[in-house]
Amino acid sequence: MPGTLFFFLLMNPRRIRLIISLMTAALVGIICLQLYWIGWNIRLNEEQFDKNVYDILHRVADKIEYYESITVLEALKNTFRPSADFNRNLRRAAQRLESASASRRRLHADTLIQGGGELPHSFEEEMLRWELMKVNQLVDSRVLTDRVPLDLLDNVLREELKSYGIDAPYEYAVYSKAHQSFVIRNGHYVVPENTPHLPASGVSSLYNSPYRAPLFSKDVEPPGYLVIYFPARTQLVLGSVWKSMLLAFVFTGIILFCFLYTIQVIYRQKKLSEMKTDFINNMTHEFKTPIATISLATDSIISPMVIQDPDKIRRFAEIIRQENRRMNGQVERVLQIAQLDRNEIQLRIAEIDLHDLIRQAVANFSLQVEKRQGTLRLDLQARNPVVRGDATHLSSVIHNLLDNANKYSPLQPEITVRTRDTSHGVAITVEDKGMGISKEARKYIFDKFYRVHTGNLHDVKGFGLGLSYVKAIVDAHKGAVDVRSELGKGSAFTITLPCK
């Protein structure tokens, strides 16, 4: 049942086109879905990477600011006599000052003391708050390079990147709003530029980098920001998806290959089915004529008017024998092709003079050409025409080429058989001035059952096995066969056989 359905599909061009259209649409849909999935995965990785980098920058900025606050508290602790009450008051003062600094230090000192929400509980606490505020004001007034320790920045940034699993080359810098330039880059202080512009040699990448976070954001105005740049950002983003992308492309390529191969097989099977159908039709036509002739001859022999005449009986018997020989030759040709396909044919190798073989084949075939008032000319120029091969099969090869030239020559055929020496052996060319073969048809003329279409299918008799047989025999002799042809001007078949 599946074979019948497949055969039905092959024989229905509309169904073939429909199936190919559906398969193409499905394949295009799969490819588009794969591309969308890959793009979505890349975008997701980019978003996750950007989020991680921003988190890292803010964590680094917070740690630097926290370090500065600890430094201020340590300075105050070293200024006053340490005691339990002092440490408690120091923490309370720091908390109150931190709460009051939410107004971004826009209030004056007296407003800050009175508007803090709750007055100090002791003179010592009030003095600590004043001292803490003065220290903070002093710290805020410092230049940015003095507030950012190089070693701390480098170590904290490296640790945060490691904790997020980012292991890639990077560049970082600290940008100062006061100088409108970078003041720290890659663990070194740099001289601020007088005029803001994009410097060369890689710093422009830091200027253009979207990854930045403000430093000391609790100041009235953040004095600068931390910038980081990843030269290999694209490779870093694609690093986690390249395996999936590679597998997607490999599997899509396999599907595409199978799709194209399936289409090729479908059309090849369709062409083979058509050729087999033509073969069956031609075989039926070829056998129908001799069978009808034999039937008529048999009826004539048993007729009362003929059965008494021995001469007429012999005549009809000869007709039966000729037609029987003709059918037997056709069957033998089909069987020979089958044997060649199964590599069962055995060659009887011997030394052969190709000129003698060609002369004998031409002598046997010349009568068919003369019946059509044509000419068959010989031009044997090979100096060493002796080869090792099977005389029977090589004679059949010459006969097939002559028959092919005669069948495809309209009106009066003009056939020439030439030989010449080559570096590989002897070349035999059978040339005609017939209808010629198109470039497209030349691709298939050596295929089994293929016949060049000539309008009416039965104008040129044959099974489409002649040239297939020629190529198989020449290949078995380790030779080569070639064809030159032009529509309306004729064809030239050349076989080359190695010398002995």
Side-chain angles (χ1 to χ4, degrees):
M1 184 65 183
T4 305
L5 178 61
F6 183 67
F7 182 80
F8 176 71
L9 292 175
L10 286 177
M11 299 306 294
N12 194 324
R14 294 183 60 184
R15 288 182 178 269
I16 292 177
R17 287 193 293 268
L18 177 61
I19 291 176
I20 292 177
S21 299
L22 292 176
M23 293 174 63
T24 303
L27 183 62
V28 171
I30 291 175
I31 293 176
C32 292
L33 187 61
Q34 290 281 1
L35 294 176
Y36 172 79
W37 175 81
I38 291 173
W40 177 82
N41 205 0
I42 291 175
R43 287 193 299 271
L44 185 64
N45 280 13
E46 288 179 340
E47 293 174 0
Q48 184 62 42
F49 178 78
D50 293 347
K51 180 180 180 300
N52 290 342
V53 172
Y54 284 124
D55 288 345
I56 289 171
L57 291 178
H58 283 92
R59 287 172 64 89
V60 171
D62 290 344
K63 287 186 177 182
I64 292 175
E65 191 166 355
Y66 175 77
Y67 176 80
E68 184 184 64
S69 300
I70 294 299
T71 303
V72 171
L73 293 177
E74 288 295 332
L76 285 177
K77 183 177 180 181
N78 294 331
T79 302
F80 297 93
R81 178 178 56 84
S83 64
D85 293 337
F86 172 81
N87 291 334
R88 182 173 59 254
N89 293 332
L90 183 59
R91 287 193 297 270
R92 292 179 61 186
Q95 293 172 357
R96 291 178 179 275
L97 185 59
E98 183 70 17
S99 176
S101 65
S103 60
R104 297 289 187 246
R105 296 186 176 91
R106 295 174 186 172
L107 304 177
H108 296 288
D110 54 348
T111 307
L112 180 62
I113 297 174
Q114 298 174 2
E118 181 181 350
L119 293 176
H121 296 286
S122 65
F123 175 77
E124 184 181 11
E125 183 181 351
E126 182 180 351
M127 291 303 298
L128 286 174
R129 289 183 60 208
W130 272 103
E131 291 297 332
L132 186 59
M133 185 186 68
K134 288 178 181 179
V135 172
N136 268 324
Q137 289 176 345
L138 180 61
V139 169
D140 292 351
S141 64
R142 291 189 305 169
V143 295
L144 190 58
T145 52
D146 294 337
R147 302 179 65 183
V148 180
L150 292 181
D151 293 341
L152 179 66
L153 174 60
D154 190 70
N155 293 333
V156 171
L157 184 58
R158 188 182 299 111
E159 290 176 0
E160 291 296 331
L161 288 171
K162 184 178 180 181
S163 67
Y164 276 81
I166 299 178
D167 184 15
Y170 63 91
E171 299 177 13
Y172 69 92
V174 174
Y175 182 83
S176 173
K177 292 183 179 180
H179 297 93
Q180 294 188 347
S181 176
F182 291 124
V183 292
I184 296 175
R185 183 162 67 91
N186 297 329
H188 301 282
Y189 294 112
V190 294
V191 179
E193 298 178 350
N194 295 327
T195 57
H197 66 280
L198 293 178
S201 69
V203 182
S204 59
S205 298
L206 287 170
Y207 266 102
N208 297 330
S209 176
Y211 304 122
R212 57 187 64 196
L215 291 171
F216 307 105
S217 58
K218 293 181 180 179
D219 291 2
V220 174
E221 179 67 26
Y225 47 82
L226 175 62
V227 185
I228 192 169
Y229 167 69
F230 295 91
R233 176 183 178 275
T234 301
Q235 293 86 335
L236 200 61
V237 171
L238 296 179
S240 60
V241 298
W242 73 268
K243 293 183 179 179
S244 300
M245 291 174 57
L246 180 61
L247 289 176
F249 283 125
V250 168
F251 290 138
T252 303
I254 292 175
I255 293 174
L256 182 61
F257 169 77
C258 294
F259 170 70
L260 296 177
Y261 180 74
T262 301
I263 292 178
Q264 183 182 8
V265 169
I266 288 175
Y267 277 102
R268 185 184 301 170
Q269 292 295 328
K270 181 175 180 295
K271 181 176 289 293
L272 182 60
S273 176
E274 292 174 350
M275 289 191 299
K276 287 184 176 180
T277 301
D278 291 343
F279 167 74
I280 293 172
N281 292 336
N282 291 328
M283 184 174 64
T284 302
H285 179 77
E286 289 291 319
F287 283 171
K288 185 177 181 180
T289 301
I291 289 174
T293 304
I294 291 174
S295 177
L296 289 174
T298 304
D299 291 341
S300 299
I301 290 175
I302 62 176
S303 116
M305 297 180 60
V306 176
I307 199 169
Q308 301 296 331
D309 189 342
D311 293 334
K312 289 185 178 180
I313 292 176
R314 282 194 296 271
R315 177 188 171 192
F316 287 120
E318 182 64 25
I319 292 175
I320 292 173
R321 187 177 66 174
Q322 290 178 356
E323 295 299 328
N324 182 67
R325 185 184 303 167
R326 177 182 171 186
M327 287 193 299
N328 185 65
Q330 299 286 12
V331 172
E332 285 294 330
R333 184 176 301 178
V334 175
L335 292 177
Q336 285 177 350
I337 291 296
Q339 289 176 339
L340 287 173
D341 285 344
R342 295 193 299 266
N343 294 323
E344 294 180 355
I345 194 166
Q346 295 181 352
L347 299 178
R348 299 176 181 177
I349 303 298
E351 290 189 1
I352 304 170
D353 188 323
L354 290 177
H355 285 177
D356 292 342
L357 195 71
I358 292 171
R359 290 189 185 97
Q360 182 179 357
V362 168
N364 294 335
F365 196 80
S366 59
L367 183 61
Q368 298 185 34
V369 177
E370 291 173 358
K371 286 181 179 179
R372 301 181 60 193
Q373 299 180 352
T375 58
L376 181 55
R377 191 166 61 90
L378 291 177
D379 183 16
L380 308 179
Q381 298 183 6
R383 297 181 180 179
N384 184 20
V386 180
V387 299
R388 290 185 59 81
D390 188 306
T392 302
H393 284 293
L394 289 179
S395 178
S396 297
V397 166
I398 302 299
H399 182 274
N400 272 284
L401 293 177
L402 291 173
D403 184 60
N404 199 64
N406 182 50
K407 287 192 299 185
Y408 288 95
S409 294
L411 302 178
Q412 300 174 348
E414 297 181 24
I415 304 172
T416 303
V417 181
R418 296 188 177 91
T419 63
R420 57 185 175 86
D421 295 314
T422 67
S423 58
H424 302 290
V426 183
I428 306 172
T429 301
V430 178
E431 184 178 356
D432 65 72
K433 297 183 179 179
M435 64 179 63
I437 307 172
S438 67
K439 184 177 180 180
E440 183 66 22
R442 286 201 297 270
K443 300 177 182 178
Y444 310 105
I445 57 175
F446 295 107
D447 293 344
K448 287 184 300 182
F449 311 122
Y450 182 81
R451 300 179 72 246
V452 178
H453 293 286
T454 58
N456 186 347
L457 187 62
H458 301 302
D459 282 346
V460 180
K461 298 180 180 180
F463 293 161
L465 297 175
L467 291 179
S468 175
Y469 171 79
V470 168
K471 189 176 189 315
I473 294 299
V474 173
D475 289 343
H477 284 80
K478 295 182 172 54
V481 59
D482 185 36
V483 58
R484 293 180 294 103
S485 184
E486 188 175 350
L487 281 175
K489 295 186 178 180
S491 305
F493 286 86
T494 301
I495 60 174
T496 304
L497 298 173
C499 292
K500 66 174 183 177

